[in-house]
């Protein structure tokens, strides 16, 4: 098939206007001297001077040349934060295929405190509407904002708008439409205030949250066929521990849930009881 009339080729990448977000895709060649960049436009300010952003783009260029056989990554660069995700197409396939489950990591780098961010209307809605009484509202707000900015997710219903029967069981935090798929999204935080985060900690968290995902999917009156478990992690160590513990979880508990582990070691407010 031919390219879309509005697509412009830049090297081996493509410029696709009007998609509402930007990814920079980089791949190192066999000798570490290849680079592909695919740009998608984003509603950024025209003169973004954030040092974080400049540092991010600089690293994209240098890392691609220094690493041999490097894995491609995607960088979202916005006004409020940047997100680096490896395995973008695997993540998309995990979401779209109702038979698949798995874990994908990304790195969240904020440019400002969440209370100073210019949030989308849907993230602002989650911030303002009543919830079921949890103490992690900011993690849910940033989850919704990140999925919208990076993957074009559209909020469908907030926590208290989702209906269940019977009531009284586990519930999901919000529902959205992403990659042409309707998802329930459950948000949690992987952290430990004292001591080392262990495999036992990760396995306990995964069993609790994945079991809750299955129950909310079974009891919901909404139309979704799978869920995304979005885990905010305090460090790469915690994220890697979760991935290792995932292999110990029974297949029937994993079901077809997709897990997105986001390392947010510069966002302490996510892990505060607010």
């Amino acid at each position: 098939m031919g390219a879309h009339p509005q697509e412009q080729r830049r090297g081996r990448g493509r410029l696709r206007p009007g998609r509402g977000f930007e990814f920079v895709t980089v791949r190192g060649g066999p000798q570490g001297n290849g680079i592909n960049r695919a740009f998608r436009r984003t509603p950024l300010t025209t003169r973004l001077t954030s040092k974080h952003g400049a540092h991010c783009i600089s690293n994209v260029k240098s890392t691609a040349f220094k690493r041999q056989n490097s894995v491609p990554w995607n960088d979202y660069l916005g006004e409020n934060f940047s997100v680096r995700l490896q395995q973008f197409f695997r993540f998309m396939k995990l979401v779209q295929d109702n038979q698949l489950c798995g874990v994908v990591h990304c790195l969240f780098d904020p440019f400002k405190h969440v209370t100073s961010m210019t949030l989308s209307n849907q993230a602002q809605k989650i911030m303002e509407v009543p919830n079921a009484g949890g103490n992690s509202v900011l993690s849910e707000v940033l989850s919704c904002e990140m999925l919208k900015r990076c993957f074009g997710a559209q909020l469908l219903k907030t926590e208290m708008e989702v209906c269940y029967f019977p009531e009284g069981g586990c519930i999901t935090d919000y529902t959205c439409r992403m990659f042409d798929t309707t998802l329930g999204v459950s948000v949690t935080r992987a952290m430990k205030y004292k001591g080392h985060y262990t495999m036992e900690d990760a396995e306990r968290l995964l069993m609790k949250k994945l079991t809750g995902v299955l129950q909310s999917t079974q009891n919901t009156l909404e139309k979704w066929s799978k869920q995304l478990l979005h885990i905010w992690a305090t460090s790469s160590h915690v994220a890697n521990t979760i991935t290792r513990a995932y292999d110990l979880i029974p297949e029937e508990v994993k079901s077809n849930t997709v897990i997105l582990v986001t390392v947010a070691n510069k966002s302490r407010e996510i892990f505060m009881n607010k």
Side-chain angles (χ1 to χ4, degrees):
M1 295 178 64
H4 189 282
Q6 291 185 337
E7 285 187 0
Q8 301 174 15
R9 292 187 178 274
R10 179 177 298 184
R12 295 173 64 187
R14 292 181 180 178
L15 176 63
R16 296 185 180 179
R19 297 299 296 275
F21 53 96
E22 175 183 16
F23 274 117
V24 181
T25 305
V26 180
R27 183 191 301 274
Q31 301 302 321
N33 58 358
I35 180 168
N36 295 343
R37 284 188 248 166
F39 297 86
R40 297 182 186 178
R41 291 185 180 179
T42 181
L44 302 179
T45 54
T46 54
R47 295 180 181 272
L48 185 63
T49 58
S50 167
K51 292 181 180 179
H52 293 78
H55 179 70
C56 178
I57 298 300
S58 174
N59 275 353
V60 166
K61 293 180 180 178
S62 60
T63 307
F65 282 95
K66 289 180 180 179
R67 292 183 179 177
Q68 292 187 357
N69 299 320
S70 60
V71 177
W73 64 80
N74 297 86
D75 276 353
Y76 165 81
L77 178 62
E79 177 184 354
N80 298 316
F81 53 80
S82 68
V83 174
R84 171 163 291 187
L85 172 76
Q86 288 186 336
Q87 300 179 313
F88 172 82
F89 292 106
R90 176 173 178 266
F91 178 58
M92 181 168 63
K93 183 173 180 58
L94 287 174
V95 170
Q96 292 177 328
D97 193 324
N98 195 41
Q99 304 302 315
L100 296 180
C101 63
V103 182
V104 177
H105 287 198
C106 66
L107 176 65
F108 179 85
D109 186 10
F111 302 154
K112 57 185 76 171
H113 192 278
V114 62
T115 56
S116 301
M117 292 182 181
T118 304
L119 298 174
S120 62
N121 291 337
Q122 60 187 48
Q124 193 68 41
K125 181 178 180 180
I126 291 180
M127 175 81 82
E128 295 174 353
V129 301
N131 62 19
N135 54 5
S136 59
V137 175
L138 292 184
S139 65
E140 296 168 15
V141 169
L142 283 178
S143 169
C144 181
E145 184 72 5
M146 194 188 95
L147 295 186
K148 173 179 172 55
R149 299 298 184 185
C150 295
F151 312 114
Q154 296 299 314
L155 178 67
L156 298 177
K157 291 190 176 183
T158 60
E159 187 173 38
M160 299 304 292
E161 293 174 329
V162 179
C163 297
Y164 300 89
F165 184 83
E167 298 180 345
C170 294
I171 61 176
T172 195
D173 290 310
Y174 62 91
T175 65
C176 71
R177 185 78 178 169
M178 187 173 76
F179 298 140
D180 296 321
T181 304
T182 300
L183 296 169
V185 182
S186 294
V187 184
T188 190
R189 302 170 294 175
M191 56 188 176
K192 194 169 187 177
Y193 290 114
K194 294 183 179 180
H196 199 62
Y197 196 84
T198 65
M199 288 283 288
E200 290 75 15
D201 295 323
E203 189 174 359
R204 187 182 309 113
L205 176 71
L206 288 174
M207 284 296 297
K208 176 183 177 181
K209 294 302 179 180
L210 288 173
T211 301
V213 162
L214 292 178
Q215 186 181 79
S216 63
T217 296
Q218 179 179 353
N219 294 343
T220 185
L221 301 179
E222 312 296 334
K223 294 182 179 180
W224 74 64
S225 56
K226 70 186 311 177
Q227 288 206 50
L228 173 69
L229 176 59
H230 190 180
I231 302 177
W232 292 98
T234 52
S235 68
S236 57
H237 162 73
V238 172
N240 291 333
T241 302
I242 290 171
T243 301
R244 290 195 297 271
Y246 180 77
D247 292 335
L248 305 177
I249 303 299
E251 294 299 321
E252 62 272 18
V253 177
K254 293 178 182 178
S255 184
N256 66 345
T257 303
V258 181
I259 300 179
L260 177 63
V261 183
T262 303
V263 178
N265 54 6
K266 298 179 182 178
S267 301
R268 292 183 59 189
E269 63 270 21
I270 293 176
F271 304 98
M272 306 298 287
N273 289 328
K274 295 181 180 180

